[in-house]
Amino acid sequence: MIKDAIGQKIDYVFSSETSYNEHFHKYYPDSEHIVIDDPRKTVTISATDMRENIYDNWDKLPNCVRSYFTKKVVIIGTESSGKSTLTKQLAKFYNTNYVHEVGRDYCEKYSNQLTADMFDFIAMEHILLQRKKAEESNKVLFIDSEAVITQYYLDMYFDGKKSPLVEEISKIQKYDLAIFLEPDIKWVDDGLRFAGEEAVRQKNNVKLKQMFADKDIPFVSVSGSYQDRFNKSKKLVDKLFER
């Protein structure tokens, strides 16, 4: 197939192992086999060893492909459930990056002038920021909220309005783990929130869970104190890297 694709004489074939001599002599009899760094002094690991354990050999993985292997962990839940706090704690513990909640930026900037159309920009900026941060992360990237939550807030603020763009983003986003935080910690009034009554919190919690269920997006529910949430979440993240 390679010969057919090139369509002309192949002068040289390159590899990093002399053990391939017989293989290349068979398939490329008219080509010279050039061996590079057979003692592995420059690149100190084989592709086989790398494939068997990517994450323990992360420093030997080329930067240009690390984002493909970066685990993506999203923290979800209703307002004042501790998403931002946990996201930052986990990122600090694992010495890596996190993606903040872009929707909050818009709420702080526009306040009561926030429009329904802005939610498209929120979802787009958030997914693009995730891709950028994944290129710079250390094995795992933590993400505060995602497109389903953006749709949830759009529905809440604008009486059931839906965004086709946000819906499409919710279909293409992919996460290795979704941690759903239950609203069993004290509600904090930060000046932007308004659904603090216990009955309302529980109702919204059920609604958001149903939205994820409707899209067949699996998640793991985590509750308890801030310390409990961190400990439980850490165990879930560690499982992602078990051999």
Side-chain angles (χ1 to χ4, degrees):
M1 291 174 64
I2 292 175
K3 290 178 180 178
D4 290 341
I6 293 177
Q8 55 186 306
K9 182 178 182 297
I10 299 174
D11 298 306
Y12 304 97
V13 290
F14 295 85
S15 83
S16 59
E17 297 188 34
T18 55
S19 60
Y20 290 162
N21 278 333
E22 184 177 348
H23 176 84
F24 285 127
H25 180 72
K26 176 180 179 181
Y27 292 103
Y28 300 95
D30 299 323
S31 307
E32 181 181 353
H33 179 204
I34 306 296
V35 179
I36 300 175
D37 194 28
D38 185 51
R40 304 201 186 287
K41 292 182 178 180
T42 303
V43 179
T44 59
I45 189 172
S46 69
T48 300
D49 291 338
M50 178 64 80
R51 285 192 297 268
E52 288 180 352
N53 197 343
I54 287 286
Y55 298 99
D56 282 353
N57 296 294
W58 188 259
D59 61 314
K60 297 181 179 66
L61 193 66
N63 292 337
C64 59
V65 300
R66 286 184 181 179
S67 62
Y68 179 84
F69 296 101
T70 298
K71 299 291 187 182
K72 299 178 180 63
V73 178
V74 64
I75 312 300
I76 55 179
T78 57
E79 64 176 20
S80 196
S81 58
K83 298 187 297 297
S84 298
T85 298
L86 181 61
T87 300
K88 294 174 183 178
Q89 286 178 333
L90 290 170
K92 183 175 182 179
F93 180 82
Y94 287 95
N95 191 31
T96 189
N97 294 320
Y98 70 89
V99 176
H100 72 283
E101 186 180 11
V102 173
R104 186 173 183 85
D105 295 343
Y106 276 72
C107 288
E108 292 176 347
K109 182 176 181 179
Y110 296 102
S111 186
N112 293 333
Q113 296 179 340
L114 192 69
T115 66
D117 292 341
M118 290 180 183
F119 284 78
D120 286 350
F121 293 99
I122 290 171
M124 183 61 74
E125 286 183 27
H126 198 242
I127 197 72
L128 291 176
L129 185 58
Q130 292 174 45
R131 295 186 177 183
K132 180 179 183 298
K133 290 285 188 177
E135 297 175 355
E136 309 162 350
S137 296
N138 178 25
K139 304 179 186 178
V140 59
L141 172 66
F142 295 98
I143 301 148
D144 182 352
S145 306
E146 46 66 77
V148 176
I149 291 182
T150 301
Q151 183 64 70
Y152 161 80
Y153 281 115
L154 175 60
D155 177 278
M156 177 188 294
Y157 293 155
F158 294 94
D159 298 324
K161 187 176 179 60
K162 302 291 183 184
S163 164
L165 177 61
V166 176
E167 287 292 308
E168 286 302 312
I169 292 176
S170 70
K171 294 176 183 177
I172 65 171
Q173 63 184 10
K174 296 184 183 300
Y175 302 107
D176 297 281
L177 172 64
I179 299 176
F180 191 104
L181 299 183
E182 299 290 345
D184 58 344
I185 56 174
K186 184 179 179 180
W187 187 78
V188 178
D189 185 359
D190 63 355
L192 297 173
R193 298 166 179 160
F194 60 86
E197 297 84 358
E198 185 60 28
V200 176
R201 295 184 77 188
Q202 293 304 322
K203 179 182 177 181
N204 288 339
N205 193 52
V206 171
K207 177 181 179 179
L208 182 57
K209 283 184 176 180
Q210 187 59 53
M211 291 177 69
F212 282 105
D214 290 343
K215 296 185 179 301
D216 294 321
I217 299 176
F219 59 81
V220 180
S221 179
V222 170
S223 60
S225 68
Y226 284 101
Q227 188 62 51
D228 290 337
R229 291 160 185 259
F230 175 80
N231 292 336
K232 294 175 182 177
S233 298
K234 179 182 176 300
K235 290 180 180 179
L236 293 171
V237 174
D238 288 345
K239 285 184 178 180
L240 294 176
F241 297 98
E242 291 180 355
R243 292 289 298 275

